[in-house]
């Protein structure tokens, strides 16, 4: 097989070589063959289903949906243009960024899928393991490699996990799906405690990384906050330890009931101590040399990521300060949508995919192309998809922000609402999904309109609003400060409200405050909940803090108060 | 049922013994519950055990040196417990005999089975060997180590898969 290591050119992204490209092409041909065997009848639909799922292909309410992997959310501009091309040629001119940092195309034809996968493979992309009962796309911090508070770049280890989990011979027919998140910062921006495995890295004593390992967290029908299994896992044992966890899960996770099959149920059933003991027993018994993650391996992977060629822009902060002075709308956007960077004079920009009245996470082909152009112009050709369904330009000069903002604003991408009430997470809901009880999108759009006023949003401040169309919780409603859950109330779409969820280091699960209401009643109720916060908050207190201090009662009263 | 072994379809000379059947001579596969009976057998022939997905491979530990075959079962192809059982037999218990699978599995799982240490597959009569051959040759690279200790490729955990 040809093997030609080359110098990596794409910033922030793992550079494929000929071996990786050959593998992807082989995978495409394998799927093409599986589609043919399905059509010929050699494979039953029951047999074909997990095979197509592990290539990202779902059957939704009206059509097939293809979920394309964006490993740890990182894309090159060329890859973004490929996604735009697919949206334009094979879908309805748009795509939808997901909470696993992936992209979904909602109107795909089965027979087009092998060709689409082939186009993706040409761009070093795939849809491998974006669905199915296997290890899914590993998610990471959207500010990886840029954030000031980072102790290491988690993308290197996320890539190691991506490779290790790809077509893993033992863990591809697990009891249920398995989601891993990894952060290189102590500040948990990846919801580590709501993952099957969450990894938080820190610098160890010998200069190499160690990991806190959380296990058994998750949302869905049974929301659970993950428990810490290891405090100081050495880097070289990362793969061995994850193998151990997965082996215990694969052997003993429940297979009789899909709603009780996630690892969180096993951890609860065994108890944390017993689960830890079983993992440790496996870890002690295994051939650790075989799975050892040697420093040389880590360095070989790291070497395939190109770094940005930063310039000396010491004057940029002063330029920015000056530009903000005379332009309050721009200043508001900078305050809400930028994040501190490791390099002086740079920052990371979060481009909001949540315009007033828009569909959270939906982006048109034209917007994808524009984002690719802007990435080339302003951020070394690199883009990141966030698990909050926005797009990040990781490395932008502060003295370029004004020009960037002007272009974004002219194209419906300039909304200054990151972390605010209209930065809504929503699942596809009953508009697309066969599982949903209610439509998530219309209520998201109404709420987005209701709170669209920039001054009002700033006044409300940090508030996470998450919407799921059913109890499977793809919109992470339990993790929202305010959550909305779509239910079926005697054949009508209705919504319950949860309060007090949070996904960070102080993770908590939102609790339902009362009976379900109609879409419009729910929008009004949330407005009254927010009003209650504005009246009752103490100076500097965020919504979640007021919520925790006062408890649900005053908010519940407000929600169900009728004029 | 014939066996798929080393890329060939071969005849299976083993007798699967049912729960209530007396032990015949020859090569026999027993349920785990009858293992001790098999070990005490006077007749000629080799011995193997059929393990269900919820039976622990560790229970075979003492008997393994006297077993020629451990047969793992797939009640349905989605039930992946046999992968972990096979890998444990090879990696933890250093079993050098034959690991067989029977039940419902797919050509698309062939490579995974091999890489977990399975070397005999009980396949239906009339199985098209070409489909399995193709499945085996389709992917030539792996991204993680396995009990087969394949040759490393380039860097990281990449391995060449033999065809």
């Amino acid at each position: 097989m040809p093997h030609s290591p080359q110098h990596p050119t794409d910033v922030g992204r793992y550079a494929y070589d000929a071996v990786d490209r050959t593998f992807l092409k082989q995978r495409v041909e394998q799927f093409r063959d599986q589609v043919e065997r399905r059509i010929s009848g050699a494979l039953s639909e029951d047999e074909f289903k997990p095979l197509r799922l592990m290539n990202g292909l779902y059957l939704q309410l009206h059509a097939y949906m293809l979920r394309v992997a964006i490993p740890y959310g990182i894309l090159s501009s060329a890859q973004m243009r490929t996604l735009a091309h697919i949206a334009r040629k094979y879908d309805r001119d748009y795509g939808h960024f997901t909470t696993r940092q992936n992209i979904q195309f909602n109107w795909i034809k089965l027979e087009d899928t092998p060709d689409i996968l082939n186009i993706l493979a040409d761009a070093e992309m795939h849809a491998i393991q974006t669905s199915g009962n296997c290890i899914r796309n590993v998610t990471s911090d959207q500010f990886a490699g840029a954030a000031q508070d980072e102790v290491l770049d988690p993308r290197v280890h996320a890539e190691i996990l991506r490779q290790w989990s790809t077509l893993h011979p033992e863990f591809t027919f697990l009891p249920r799906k398995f989601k891993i998140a990894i952060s290189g910062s102590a500040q948990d921006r990846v919801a580590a405690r709501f993952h099957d495995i969450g990894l938080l890295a820190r610098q160890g004593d010998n200069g190499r990384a160690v990991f806190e390992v959380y296990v058994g967290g998750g949302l869905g029908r049974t929301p659970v906050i993950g428990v810490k299994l290891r405090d100081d896992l050495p880097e070289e044992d990362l793969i061995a330890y994850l193998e151990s966890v997965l082996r215990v899960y694969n052997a003993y996770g429940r297979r009789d009931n899909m709603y009780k099959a996630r690892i969180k149920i096993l951890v609860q059933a065994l108890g944390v101590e017993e689960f830890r003991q079983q993992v440790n027993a496996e870890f002690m018994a295994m051939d650790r040399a075989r799975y050892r993650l040697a420093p040389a391996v880590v360095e070989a992977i790291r070497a395939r990521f190109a770094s940005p060629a930063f310039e000396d822009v010491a004057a940029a902060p002063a330029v920015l300060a000056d530009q903000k002075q005379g332009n309050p709308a721009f200043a508001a956007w900078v305050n809400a949508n930028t994040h501190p960077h490791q390099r002086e004079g740079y920052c990371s920009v979060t481009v909001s995919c949540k315009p007033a009245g828009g569909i959270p996470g939906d982006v048109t082909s034209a917007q994808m192309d524009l984002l690719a152009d802007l990435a080339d112009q302003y951020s070394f050709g690199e883009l990141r998809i966030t698990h909050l369904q926005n797009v990040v330009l990781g490395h932008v000069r502060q003295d370029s922000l004004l020009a960037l903002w002007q272009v974004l604003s002219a194209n419906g991408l300039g909304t200054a609402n990151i972390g605010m009430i209209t930065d809504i997470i929503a699942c596809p809901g009953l508009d697309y999904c066969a599982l949903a009880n209610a439509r998530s999108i219309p209520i998201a759009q109404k709420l987005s309109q209701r709170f669209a006023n920039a001054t009002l949003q700033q006044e409300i401040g940090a508030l996470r609003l998450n919407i799921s169309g059913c109890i499977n919780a793809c919109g992470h409603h339990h993790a929202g400060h305010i959550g909305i859950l779509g239910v079926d109330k005697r054949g009508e779409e209705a919504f319950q409200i949860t309060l007090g969820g949070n996904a960070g280091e102080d993770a908590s699960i939102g609790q339902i405050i009362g009976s379900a209401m109609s879409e419009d009643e729910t929008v009004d109720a949330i407005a009254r909940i927010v009003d209650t916060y504005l009246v009752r908050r103490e100076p500097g207190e965020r919504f979640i803090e007021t919520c925790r201090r006062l408890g649900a009662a005053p908010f519940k009263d407000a929600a169900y108060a009728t004029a | 049922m014939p066996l798929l072994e080393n890329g060939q379809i071969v005849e299976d000379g083993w007798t699967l013994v049912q729960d209530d059947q007396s032990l015949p001579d020859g090569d026999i596969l027993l349920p785990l519950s009858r293992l001790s009976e098999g070990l005490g057998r006077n007749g000629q022939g080799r011995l193997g055990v059929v393990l269900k997905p919820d039976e622990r491979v560790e229970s075979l530990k003492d008997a393994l040196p006297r077993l020629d075959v451990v047969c793992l079962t797939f009640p349905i192809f989605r039930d992946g417990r046999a992968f972990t059982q096979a890998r444990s037999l090879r990696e933890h218990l250093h079993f050098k005999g034959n690991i067989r699978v029977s039940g419902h599995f797919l050509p698309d799982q062939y490579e995974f089975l091999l890489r977990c240490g399975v070397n005999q597959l009980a396949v239906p009569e009339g199985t098209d060997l070409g489909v399995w051959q193709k499945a085996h040759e389709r992917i030539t690279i792996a991204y993680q180590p396995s009990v087969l200790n394949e040759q490393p490729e380039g860097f990281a955990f990449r391995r060449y898969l033999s065809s």
Side-chain angles (χ1 to χ4, degrees), chain A residues 185 254 259 320 397 528 546:
Chain A
S185 154
R254 283 181 64 172
Y259 301 117
L320 173 62
R397 284 174 61 143
R528 289 193 296 270
T546 308

Side-chain angles (χ1 to χ4, degrees), chain A residues 20 26 34 170 282 291, chain B residues 84 91-92 108 140 143 158:
Chain A
D20 299 306
Q26 290 172 341
Q34 286 163 345
E170 191 176 342
E282 177 62 45
Y291 304 97
Chain B
T84 288
E91 185 178 314
H92 292 346
D108 313 85
T140 56
Y143 282 96
R158 291 199 313 214

Side-chain angles (χ1 to χ4, degrees), chain A residues 1 3 14 17 19-20 23 26 30 33-34 37 46-47 50-51 163-164 166-170 173 247 250-252 255 282 285-287 290-292 297 301 304, chain B residues 56 76-81 83-84 87 91-92 104 106-109 112 115-116 131 134 138-141 143-147 149 153-158 160:
Chain A
M1 181 175 292
H3 176 60
Y14 174 78
D17 65 6
V19 174
D20 299 306
F23 168 78
Q26 290 172 341
Q30 183 186 47
D33 179 60
Q34 286 163 345
R37 282 160 60 220
D46 187 46
E47 291 171 335
L51 305 178
Q163 294 194 17
W164 160 73
T166 296
L167 270 58
H168 194 293
E170 191 176 342
F173 294 87
R247 288 171 182 189
N250 192 43
Y252 304 117
R255 290 175 187 267
E282 177 62 45
M286 73 195 303
D287 180 355
R290 174 177 290 148
Y291 304 97
R292 178 168 176 264
V297 172
I301 298 285
R304 303 203 64 80
Chain B
R56 289 172 171 256
I76 187 161
F77 72 102
R78 289 189 298 272
D79 185 339
R81 285 176 285 183
F83 294 109
T84 288
R87 198 266 317 137
E91 185 178 314
H92 292 346
H104 182 197
L106 306 178
D108 313 85
Q109 297 172 306
F112 298 151
R115 299 198 73 220
C116 286
V131 172
K134 212 156 98 176
R138 178 74 74 192
I139 309 271
T140 56
I141 206 80
Y143 282 96
Q144 58 293 108
S146 87
V147 295
N149 285 325
E153 195 301 317
F155 57 93
F157 285 123
R158 291 199 313 214
Y160 281 118

